[in-house]
Amino acid sequence: MDRLAAIATEGEPAARLHDAIAALERGDAARSLHRHSATGMPTREPLIRQIQGDGGGVLGIIRFLDFDRLCVFDPSLGDQLLIAVAARLKAMLPAERLLYHVDRAHIAIWFGPVESAVLASVELGAIEYALGEPMAIGSHTIALKISTRLSELDGKEPATALTRALAQLSMATATADVAADGPAWDTEERERFAFEQDLRLAMAGGELRLCYQPLIDAANGRVFGAEALMRWNSPARGAVSPALFIPVVEATGLADEVGLWALNTAIREASGWRAKGLGDLRVAVNVSGHQLKRDDLPTLIDRTLRRHARPPEFLEIELTESVAVVDCDRASRLLAKIRALGVSVAIDDFGTGFSSLSSLRKLTFDKIKIDREFVADVDRRKDSQAICQSIIALARGLGIRVLAEGVERREEYAWLRQHGCDRFQGFYFSPPLEASTFAAFVRDGEALAEKLAVGPRAMLRSLSKSLTL
Ligand code: C2E
Ligand code: CA
Ligand code: CA
């Protein structure tokens, strides 16, 4: 960790960030950053790197179906259960099998290259059997409900492929009662078809909408815009997270339609803000990898702005770092055209792509959004501090604006502010809001001023407030 911190505070900003990220990639800092607190297993990022490194292979996923219910029943039970499951898996699987705790309710097994597909399905069957045996945990005996899935991943865009595999398992589970008995990947086409149908109906029936999360400029104490975030309230599936449905949209033929819908809706809804007296705010819209494949994206953006009579400075396009570096030459041409319109471009989830400083050099963009992973607990984690400091220094050196996303606590905000970051987004300031409540948030300057105040007095005020609640 000390080495990482040292690298990150010496030399040119760009070189520093590159070295800090390379050190992360080598795994020293990542080992503590990417381990699940209960099971000690590596988490999502190391899995993505493994898939990328192997160039594809077979992935097994185990989903704990009633995990949330168990945790409500007894919060400490969740961790104990995960520890017991991890021990059982480690005892029964060959030592070379790689286990990852992808998120709370999912464990993944990386079987490696596709030759092992048959072996993988045998092993996954055995795991399902073994985990079905009741477990004694404290004074409880628990019979776990799980579902499993095997997916073949080709190693391209592993993060998207992983999210898609998780989404497919979650959809298979939601439709388990109507699904056939065969292995999960036999039902893939049917699920995709059903999903596409649902989503088409959702678009037609107004089930998709956008929420707006305020973007804060601490230097002048005001909201300078909002990020449009998609929501799908499905009567059949409930509230589906965009993190789940966007990757599936990408895999179906709907990406263009949904992307255009979001662009058009965001610009239309946000063009009303000025008339409401909210000033010149800008709206940030997420653009997916699929949309970037279209040569006419700049024309579509231009046309949409004209249709709503908005100037180009009104819009910011957000593109994740991993998408931007996949086809860098293409991306750089397209981004240059978008910027030539006067629309600004932000690189989203910065720091998670690891690869990319040299490739990012080819791209021109206006803003970096530091990923939430490095913002969480930045006030007390040395490794995150080194990364954030490097990113802020890099951005300053290149004349690029920087925004920290996912700020949840005042201390995180205060640390970042003290270290030169002025733009923020996160639950600490506000969650994503309905279009109708966004205006009220912007108008409440006093509440924002209180959140923005740092220093001992402000800390004391907020502490005494929370004590009297
Ligand atoms: P993103 O672009 O990184 O968006 C930020 C995500 O972080 C949002 O999740 C937001 O609700 C969440 N967030 C904001 N502040 C905090 C915080 O303080 N703590 C925590 N824990 N989370 C915070 P959401 O809305 O679920 O969106 C997830 C992802 O789905 C987005 O990540 C984006 O990649 C994608 N997405 C959302 N809307 C669209 C869209 O219209 N088009 C495309 N292509 N992708 C979208
Ligand atoms: Ca975004
Ligand atoms: Ca982000």
Side-chain angles (χ1 to χ4, degrees):
M1 207 60 53
D2 288 339
R3 188 153 59 83
L4 180 64
I7 294 168
T9 47
E10 288 166 13
E12 287 304 303
R16 266 190 266 150
L17 180 73
H18 192 221
D19 289 346
I21 288 176
L24 254 184
E25 205 168 11
R26 281 196 300 277
D28 27 10
R31 259 189 289 282
S32 64
L33 198 61
H34 298 302
R35 291 241 165 223
H36 192 275
S37 54
T39 57
M41 283 180 191
T43 52
R44 186 185 153 93
E45 289 304 324
L47 171 58
I48 290 168
R49 269 179 275 144
Q50 183 72 38
I51 299 172
Q52 201 156 29
D54 285 355
V58 176
L59 179 75
I61 305 175
I62 306 167
R63 176 178 161 92
F64 305 110
L65 293 175
D66 42 12
F67 191 75
D68 284 337
R69 242 177 359 153
L70 280 170
C71 293
V72 170
F73 174 59
D74 175 354
S76 69
L77 215 54
D79 279 359
Q80 292 178 50
L81 189 71
L82 290 171
I83 291 165
V85 166
R88 203 173 266 197
L89 286 174
K90 278 182 190 145
M92 69 179 289
L93 289 172
E96 70 270 19
R97 215 54 85 223
L98 299 173
L99 292 168
Y100 297 86
H101 205 145
V102 181
D103 64 36
R104 243 155 46 96
H106 293 95
I107 286 181
I109 304 157
W110 181 240
F111 292 96
V114 278
E115 295 87 273
S116 48
V118 176
L119 177 66
S121 101
V122 170
E123 275 188 22
L124 205 61
I127 289 170
E128 219 165 313
Y129 177 80
L131 294 185
E133 287 286 293
M135 285 186 217
I137 296 185
S139 56
H140 304 285
T141 301
I142 292 172
L144 264 182
K145 256 205 237 161
I146 61 166
S147 69
T148 63
R149 174 181 184 87
L150 278 181
S151 302
E152 277 188 41
L153 309 183
D154 65 8
K156 281 187 229 135
E157 301 188 35
T160 313
L162 174 60
T163 309
R164 192 179 303 146
L166 289 167
Q168 281 160 345
L169 178 56
S170 109
M171 281 191 287
T173 315
T175 54
D177 41 353
V178 290
D181 286 329
W185 49 12
D186 284 349
T187 61
E188 188 173 323
E189 275 311 304
R190 200 149 51 93
E191 284 156 20
R192 184 174 289 187
F193 179 75
F195 183 86
E196 201 172 319
Q197 292 299 310
D198 276 7
L199 200 54
R200 278 188 198 288
L201 291 175
M203 283 176 63
E207 288 166 26
L208 287 188
R209 61 194 167 78
L210 294 177
C211 277
Y212 296 90
Q213 188 171 31
L215 305 171
I216 312 292
D217 183 348
N220 63 17
R222 62 179 198 98
V223 177
F224 69 93
E227 176 177 3
L229 293 161
M230 213 182 283
R231 296 288 174 265
W232 177 16
N233 256 324
S234 155
R237 301 169 188 270
V240 188
S241 160
L244 282 181
F245 76 81
I246 293 284
V248 189
V249 165
E250 291 270 279
T252 65
L254 284 170
D256 281 344
E257 238 172 293
V258 172
L260 268 184
W261 174 87
L263 185 69
N264 191 54
T265 308
I267 294 178
R268 178 171 48 76
E269 293 188 334
S271 42
W273 293 343
R274 199 151 187 259
K276 285 186 183 156
L278 304 183
D280 280 326
L281 303 181
R282 67 167 45 176
V283 67
V285 177
N286 291 285
V287 161
S288 68
H290 197 276
Q291 286 174 277
L292 210 63
K293 291 193 185 123
R294 289 188 64 141
D295 283 331
D296 60 351
L297 183 64
T299 317
L300 290 172
I301 290 174
D302 187 37
R303 227 184 270 157
T304 314
L305 281 165
R306 283 175 197 279
R307 189 178 320 130
H308 298 284
R310 300 309 301 146
E313 313 79 70
F314 177 69
L315 180 65
E316 184 154 277
I317 294 296
E318 291 194 7
L319 194 70
T320 59
E321 181 189 355
S322 48
V323 166
V325 297
V326 167
D327 186 354
C328 195
D329 290 333
R330 237 191 103 69
S332 95
R333 277 198 308 275
L334 221 54
L335 294 191
K337 280 191 189 160
I338 293 173
R339 292 185 74 234
L341 296 171
V343 171
S344 58
V345 172
I347 301 294
D348 206 353
D349 303 345
F350 190 80
T352 55
F354 293 110
S355 54
S356 45
L357 199 74
S358 57
S359 356
L360 276 183
R361 263 205 204 105
K362 287 196 214 153
L363 301 175
T364 51
F365 48 89
D366 307 272
K367 186 194 276 174
I368 283 171
K369 295 185 81 175
I370 308 179
D371 191 66
R372 177 164 92 226
E373 182 174 345
F374 307 112
V375 168
D377 289 337
V378 67
D379 53 310
R380 31 191 195 214
R381 295 192 62 148
K382 290 269 177 293
D383 45 359
S384 301
Q385 288 174 359
I387 292 168
C388 285
Q389 266 173 314
S390 297
I391 295 176
I392 294 165
L394 163 83
R396 191 173 282 165
L398 299 176
I400 291 166
R401 292 194 300 274
V402 58
L403 177 144
E405 60 179 5
V407 177
E408 293 188 354
R409 295 182 299 113
R410 184 190 285 268
E411 291 78 6
E412 292 162 355
Y413 155 68
W415 191 94
L416 287 158
R417 184 85 207 274
Q418 212 178 358
H419 290 82
C421 179
D422 287 335
R423 288 167 187 244
F424 301 92
Q425 176 182 3
F427 295 166
Y428 170 62
F429 295 101
S430 166
L433 300 169
E434 296 294 330
S436 52
T437 45
F438 174 71
F441 180 87
V442 178
R443 288 200 187 99
D444 193 351
E446 222 170 275
L448 180 60
E450 188 174 323
K451 298 230 172 234
L452 286 171
V454 281
R457 269 216 200 144
M459 288 289 194
L460 266 180
R461 232 187 357 254
S462 88
L463 191 67
S464 68
K465 240 188 180 179
S466 61
L467 287 176
T468 51
L469 277 180

